[in-house]
Amino acid sequence: MASRVQRKRIRKSPADRRAEIVASAARVAISEGLEAITLRRIGELLDIRPGLVSHYFPAVEDLVAEAFGNAATAELDGLLPPGQRTGTPSQHLTRFFAQATGEAYDAISRLWINARHLSRYRPVLRERVAEQEAAWRERLADVIRAGAERGEFRTDDAYVTAVQILVVIDGLAAHANTGTDSTVPRVTRMAAATAERELGLPDGALADSAPGAPRGRG
Amino acid sequence: MASRVQRKRIRKSPADRRAEIVASAARVAISEGLEAITLRRIGELLDIRPGLVSHYFPAVEDLVAEAFGNAATAELDGLLPPGQRTGTPSQHLTRFFAQATGEAYDAISRLWINARHLSRYRPVLRERVAEQEAAWRERLADVIRAGAERGEFRTDDAYVTAVQILVVIDGLAAHANTGTDSTVPRVTRMAAATAERELGLPDGALADSAPGAPRGRG
DNA sequence: TTGCTTATTGGTCGGCCACTCAATAGCATC
DNA sequence: GATGCTATTGAGTGGCCGACCAATAAGCAA
């Protein structure tokens, strides 16, 4: 696709074109990195001239920020769907940790590392990152609160617990680009273990396949 | 410094010049970021022509990797001096956590985030990062082993414990560029708390000023 | 002092970047 | 089918980048 020989212009509504550009940029952000979002690259992917991208986003930084926001929101919705109706909070967390520890999460980790670094130089992006961090914390805190109300979890501050869990996940994610560790259970399980400890659950309660059986320590 | 009107060439030994270039690049890495290490920037700082930097580092990526290695090693030596003779392992850890939680650590956090992100595109740097990660782990594991031998700590795998502690530190460091959280003790203390738990120490044993008094939970 | 080695310069090249703007043409409306 | 609005193009600007290389001169050895 993206036939180079295209002659005829395709004229779209501003809303459609803009959405198309953002979606394309979000895809680039995940697969190639936020700095790969350039007028030329996006133009090439959508078979439009770079100037058109500039027309919708006079400053590229705004597009980068929006692309990150879109990508991060999509990932969060995949990990912890908002307003979940099926399953218990425990099951939601179990599924969350299973995904957030798997290799498929590497792409998301890379995106976050990318965004956090680039935030150093890009104020608009920095603002978006802060927004997304808040969103992820709140989403996770909501699950914890739901579990606490049902009596599944014991916690005196769902928000702080959510932050603690995310700190561990961020720490594990730090190596997504360098690819060390990954095979020691005592390390891999740290995120779930933190949740279990902070929520008053038995060891292994949030492990992938074994709902109640503690794995034992040594 | 760096007088623009300099006419006379200053001819140094290759070893000196090379060291000078690396030192300058390391300084730039910490203060401005690894991508700010350019032939022109380094040349400007040392008042030499960009071509000379190229002469010593035909590929800039090699200079970037070396600059990171230098900076990271220096920081590690500041946090956990090798072959420490004064003080106990507990004191070393206490000092380590105090520094690694303080604001002065932000510069180091930024550098690591920077390096880990850039590793995605730069194989040589990626190798260096892996090297440094190993060095940091080993250095911390050594302190833990020393404490275990003295009977201060209880652990069955000093290395895994070191990795766990560094995971938490990396997680806390993730926000160095976005500057959220930082004020909740339950979060700030996570690294030290992890160490205390894993090493069989009472709560607060590795806290900054209070050597033995647990702070209490609520 | 002279000569020689080589550290250092100066200039150039191609490449990719964001950004600007007048000219063009798609398409809805009449 | 003609008209007008505006989405889209095309072309150009200036900036910064790494890399390359022949010419130059610093300073040691003779």
Side-chain angles (χ1 to χ4, degrees):
Chain A
M1 16 218 93
S3 61
R4 273 296 86 216
V5 277
Q6 173 156 6
R7 288 281 107 224
K8 188 132 155 53
R9 294 185 182 180
I10 294 171
R11 193 185 168 107
K12 301 192 174 182
S13 79
D16 284 359
R17 189 60 94 183
R18 193 190 157 90
E20 195 182 52
I21 290 171
V22 171
S24 174
R27 246 174 286 127
V28 170
I30 290 178
S31 58
E32 304 169 40
L34 291 165
E35 34 276 282
I37 298 177
T38 66
L39 302 179
R40 288 164 182 75
R41 184 89 188 91
I42 302 302
E44 185 186 8
L45 289 174
L46 297 177
D47 199 29
I48 57 180
R49 288 336 105 204
L52 187 55
V53 181
S54 257
H55 174 70
Y56 287 97
F57 292 89
V60 184
E61 186 182 351
D62 293 332
L63 174 57
V64 170
E66 193 135 339
F68 168 74
N70 256 37
T73 297
E75 300 293 359
L76 175 58
D77 287 349
L79 291 170
L80 291 174
Q84 261 181 129
R85 302 208 168 273
T86 63
T88 67
S90 294
Q91 289 170 334
H92 299 156
L93 282 194
T94 299
R95 192 167 151 271
F96 173 67
F97 288 124
Q99 291 189 259
T101 303
E103 253 182 57
Y105 193 73
D106 274 6
I108 310 179
S109 300
R110 268 189 278 268
L111 178 66
W112 275 100
I113 294 172
N114 193 170
R116 287 191 168 122
H117 167 62
L118 220 58
S119 285
R120 179 172 180 175
Y121 314 102
R122 307 260 147 98
V124 183
L125 177 60
R126 177 158 58 236
E127 199 51 47
R128 250 347 137 84
V129 170
E131 232 173 64
Q132 283 295 325
E133 279 172 353
W136 283 58
R137 289 168 175 195
E138 279 308 331
R139 189 74 63 86
L140 182 54
D142 281 346
V143 175
I144 293 174
R145 284 190 202 101
E149 275 175 29
R150 278 164 155 263
E152 285 181 25
F153 308 149
R154 194 150 25 84
T155 179
D156 53 337
D157 193 330
Y159 181 76
V160 166
T161 302
V163 172
Q164 288 179 303
I165 292 170
L166 287 172
V167 162
V168 176
I169 289 180
D170 286 338
L172 291 168
H175 309 273
N177 285 327
T178 49
T180 38
D181 51 78
S182 72
T183 37
V184 185
R186 282 256 293 279
V187 174
T188 316
R189 264 195 56 71
M190 279 182 73
T194 301
E196 290 157 3
R197 183 186 344 113
E198 294 295 324
L199 296 175
L201 299 173
D203 278 7
L206 299 175
D208 200 0
S209 44
R215 252 271 169 291
R217 195 66 170 314
Chain B
M1 35 206 76
S3 62
R4 273 297 81 218
V5 276
Q6 174 157 8
R7 287 281 108 223
K8 187 124 157 53
R9 293 184 183 179
I10 294 172
R11 191 186 170 108
K12 301 192 175 181
S13 79
D16 284 359
R17 189 60 92 182
R18 193 190 158 90
E20 195 182 50
I21 289 172
V22 171
S24 175
R27 246 174 285 127
V28 170
I30 289 179
S31 58
E32 304 169 41
L34 290 165
E35 35 275 282
I37 299 178
T38 66
L39 302 179
R40 287 164 179 77
R41 184 88 188 93
I42 302 301
E44 186 186 7
L45 289 174
L46 296 177
D47 198 29
I48 57 180
R49 291 333 107 204
L52 187 56
V53 180
S54 256
H55 174 70
Y56 287 97
F57 292 89
V60 184
E61 186 182 352
D62 293 332
L63 174 57
V64 171
E66 192 134 339
F68 168 74
N70 256 37
T73 297
E75 299 293 0
L76 175 57
D77 287 350
L79 290 169
L80 291 173
Q84 260 181 130
R85 303 212 167 272
T86 63
T88 68
S90 295
Q91 289 170 333
H92 298 155
L93 282 194
T94 299
R95 193 166 152 272
F96 173 67
F97 287 124
Q99 290 190 261
T101 304
E103 254 183 57
Y105 194 72
D106 274 5
I108 310 180
S109 301
R110 268 189 277 270
L111 177 65
W112 274 99
I113 295 172
N114 194 170
R116 286 188 169 125
H117 167 62
L118 220 56
S119 285
R120 180 172 179 175
Y121 313 101
R122 308 257 147 101
V124 183
L125 176 61
R126 178 158 58 235
E127 199 52 47
R128 256 336 145 85
V129 170
E131 231 173 64
Q132 284 295 325
E133 279 172 352
W136 284 57
R137 289 169 174 193
E138 280 309 330
R139 189 74 64 86
L140 183 54
D142 281 346
V143 175
I144 293 173
R145 284 190 202 101
E149 275 175 28
R150 277 165 155 261
E152 284 182 25
F153 307 149
R154 194 151 24 86
T155 178
D156 53 339
D157 193 329
Y159 181 76
V160 166
T161 302
V163 171
Q164 287 180 303
I165 292 170
L166 287 172
V167 162
V168 175
I169 289 180
D170 286 337
L172 291 168
H175 308 274
N177 286 326
T178 48
T180 38
D181 50 81
S182 71
T183 37
V184 185
R186 282 256 293 280
V187 174
T188 316
R189 263 196 56 72
M190 279 183 71
T194 301
E196 290 156 1
R197 186 188 340 113
E198 295 294 324
L199 296 176
L201 300 172
D203 278 8
L206 299 175
D208 200 1
S209 45
R215 253 264 169 294
R217 197 56 172 319

